[in-house]
């Protein structure tokens, strides 16, 4: 590292809290080094209310780009100069690109999800999709699959503060992607969930259920899964959730959340550098 960093090294950052556990610095610094780019990536612990100062600092220090993580993704979208189409609909960003002092916000979670499916041989165009969840990850997925030509999206969520999000997403997508049928249902209606999964091509869990400490749980009974259903999870810790294990047991194509994490990062890398991230090399290095 001491040979790598010089007086001209361009800086990229991660802003949010907590950030100490993040794998992003390792992934981006590995990739910069591999591709001989004079860049470095550092994580900074920043609270929501400190984001205006952090954004000013990006401009002051001519930081070339930044990732933004929880809980700062929404507030960051109000502080940048411009937004990508998906970020505009969602009202949250996870990537900022600094073009000569003009900051543009992007959201790559949904793009990463779609890319991960593609890497697993699944095209979402024309597909009927059930998404459980209405938080940050779920909304990003719902908006991106709509923009990318899904046929229908059935959103299920429990009766909590996120339910309104789902209704808002439905209303925004009605204007932005009128050809995509979007419906919102209560997760408590298991009969309806069963019926919608029966008619779906793809089922997605985009809730925190399946993640530690809820890792013994799945919101979908195994009896609702079938071998020609594609089952994707956003949860990547553990690598295989109960939902993914159940899907594998019934012979369905099961796609864990780790790939989404990789590809949303790779998409950010492309926005930062204009290059494809060396994902194969990084995955081999990580093992
Ligand atoms: P969030 O806090 O914004 O949303 C939480 C969601 O979980 C809401 O829909 C909420 O209603 C639901 N939920 C919470 N407890 C529940 C319960 N007991 N039963 C049913 N639903 C429940 O969270 P988020 O940022 O959207 O993250 C959701 C998951 O997606 C997390 O596991 C996160 O790690 C994962 N994620 C993965 C990636 C990736 O790249 N793979 C990216 C972002 C998030």
């Amino acid at each position: 590292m001491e040979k790598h960093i010089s007086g001209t090294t361009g800086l990229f950052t991660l802003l949010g809290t907590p950030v100490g556990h993040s794998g992003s610095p390792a992934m981006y610094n590995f990739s910069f080094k591999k591709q001989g780019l004079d860049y470095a990536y550092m994580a900074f612990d920043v609270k929501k209310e400190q984001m205006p100062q952090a954004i000013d600092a990006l401009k002051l220090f001519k930081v070339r780009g930044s990732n933004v993580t929880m809980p700062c993704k929404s507030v960051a979208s109000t502080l940048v100069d411009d937004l990508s189409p998906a970020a505009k609909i969602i009202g949250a960003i996870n990537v900022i690109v600094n073009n000569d002092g003009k900051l543009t916000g992007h959201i790559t979670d949904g793009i990463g999800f779609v890319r991960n499916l593609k890497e697993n041989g699944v095209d979402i165009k024309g597909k009927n999709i059930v998404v459980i969840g209405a938080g940050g990850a779920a909304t990003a997925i719902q908006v991106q699959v709509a923009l990318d030509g899904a046929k229908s999206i059935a959103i299920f969520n429990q009766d909590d503060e996120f339910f309104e999000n789902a209704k808002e997403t439905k209303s925004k997508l009605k204007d932005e992607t009128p050809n995509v049928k979007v419906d919102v249902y209560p997760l408590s209606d298991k009969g309806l969930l069963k019926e919608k999964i029966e008619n779906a091509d793809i089922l997605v869990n985009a809730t925190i259920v399946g993640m530690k400490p809820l890792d013994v749980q799945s919101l979908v009974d195994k009896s609702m899964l079938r071998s020609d259903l594609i089952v994707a999870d956003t949860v990547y810790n553990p690598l295989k959730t109960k939902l993914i294990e159940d899907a594998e047991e019934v012979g369905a194509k099961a796609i864990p959340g780790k790939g989404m994490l990789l590809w949303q990062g790779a998409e950010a890398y492309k926005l930062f550098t204009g290059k494809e991230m060396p994902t194969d090399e990084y995955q081999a290095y990580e093992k």
Side-chain angles (χ1 to χ4, degrees):
M1 193 53 92
E2 66 278 10
K3 278 189 194 153
H4 170 59
I5 293 188
S6 73
T8 60
T9 301
L11 180 62
F12 289 89
T13 61
L14 170 64
L15 307 174
T17 186
V19 291
H21 66 288
S22 170
S24 294
M27 180 173 80
Y28 290 114
N29 285 317
F30 172 91
S31 303
F32 294 153
K33 197 168 171 210
K34 198 90 205 153
Q35 296 188 327
L37 300 173
D38 185 16
Y39 296 147
Y41 188 105
M42 295 276 295
F44 294 98
D45 202 291
V46 175
K47 296 187 183 72
K48 231 176 5 189
E49 57 275 20
Q50 296 172 315
M51 276 307 279
Q53 284 166 279
I55 296 287
D56 281 346
L58 295 185
K59 289 188 174 177
L60 178 67
F61 293 136
K62 298 185 174 58
V63 172
R64 304 185 66 116
S66 186
N67 284 119
V68 182
T69 188
M70 296 309 288
C72 302
K73 290 175 161 186
S74 300
V75 67
S77 75
T78 67
L79 298 168
V80 292
D81 304 308
D82 203 2
L83 292 170
S84 71
K88 214 172 275 178
I89 302 174
I90 294 163
I93 59 174
N94 70 330
V95 175
I96 298 171
V97 176
N98 185 354
N99 278 322
D100 294 329
K102 185 185 172 201
L103 304 186
T104 304
H106 302 258
I107 182 137
T108 62
D109 290 329
I111 303 174
F113 174 82
V114 171
R115 175 76 185 260
N116 186 34
L117 259 58
K118 201 168 170 204
E119 292 293 321
N120 281 280
V122 178
D123 185 354
I124 57 96
K125 248 195 195 79
K127 298 290 195 298
N128 295 308
I129 305 178
V130 171
V131 181
I132 307 176
T139 307
I141 290 169
Q142 288 148 10
V143 169
Q144 197 63 44
V145 298
L147 288 173
D148 288 354
K151 186 172 172 193
S152 74
I153 307 168
I155 304 172
F156 283 84
N157 206 74
Q158 69 176 13
D159 184 15
D160 62 9
E161 71 274 21
F162 292 95
F163 198 82
E164 270 310 302
N165 277 4
K167 287 197 196 153
E168 231 175 85
T169 303
K170 175 182 159 82
S171 133
K172 286 180 189 167
L173 290 178
K174 200 173 164 204
D175 297 333
E176 301 290 335
T177 56
N179 294 333
V180 186
K181 184 172 156 30
V182 182
D183 290 297
V184 179
Y185 305 108
L187 183 59
S188 53
D189 193 338
K190 294 295 175 199
L192 201 53
L193 179 66
K194 182 172 182 285
E195 183 192 316
K196 293 294 166 188
I197 292 175
E198 263 165 20
N199 294 311
D201 304 293
I202 303 171
L203 166 69
V204 186
N205 173 50
T207 72
I208 57 169
V209 176
M211 187 171 83
K212 285 175 186 164
L214 304 177
D215 50 336
V216 289
Q217 296 179 32
S218 166
L219 292 168
V220 181
D221 195 82
K222 195 172 153 187
S223 64
M224 296 185 198
L225 307 177
R226 54 177 206 277
S227 61
D228 65 344
L229 183 70
I230 292 146
V231 180
D233 211 322
T234 58
V235 175
Y236 53 82
N237 183 15
L239 285 176
K240 280 191 186 180
T241 56
K242 172 147 182 11
L243 174 66
I244 291 293
E245 280 176 357
D246 285 350
E248 282 179 349
E249 276 172 33
V250 303
K253 188 187 265 286
I255 307 177
K258 187 79 195 294
M260 172 181 171
L261 185 67
L262 178 74
W263 289 110
Q264 63 80 22
E267 193 60 33
Y269 188 85
K270 204 156 55 168
L271 290 166
F272 289 154
T273 66
K275 291 176 188 294
E276 288 287 342
M277 196 169 90
T279 46
D280 288 346
E281 285 102 318
Y282 181 65
Q283 279 175 300
Y285 161 80
E286 219 191 357
K287 271 178 192 160

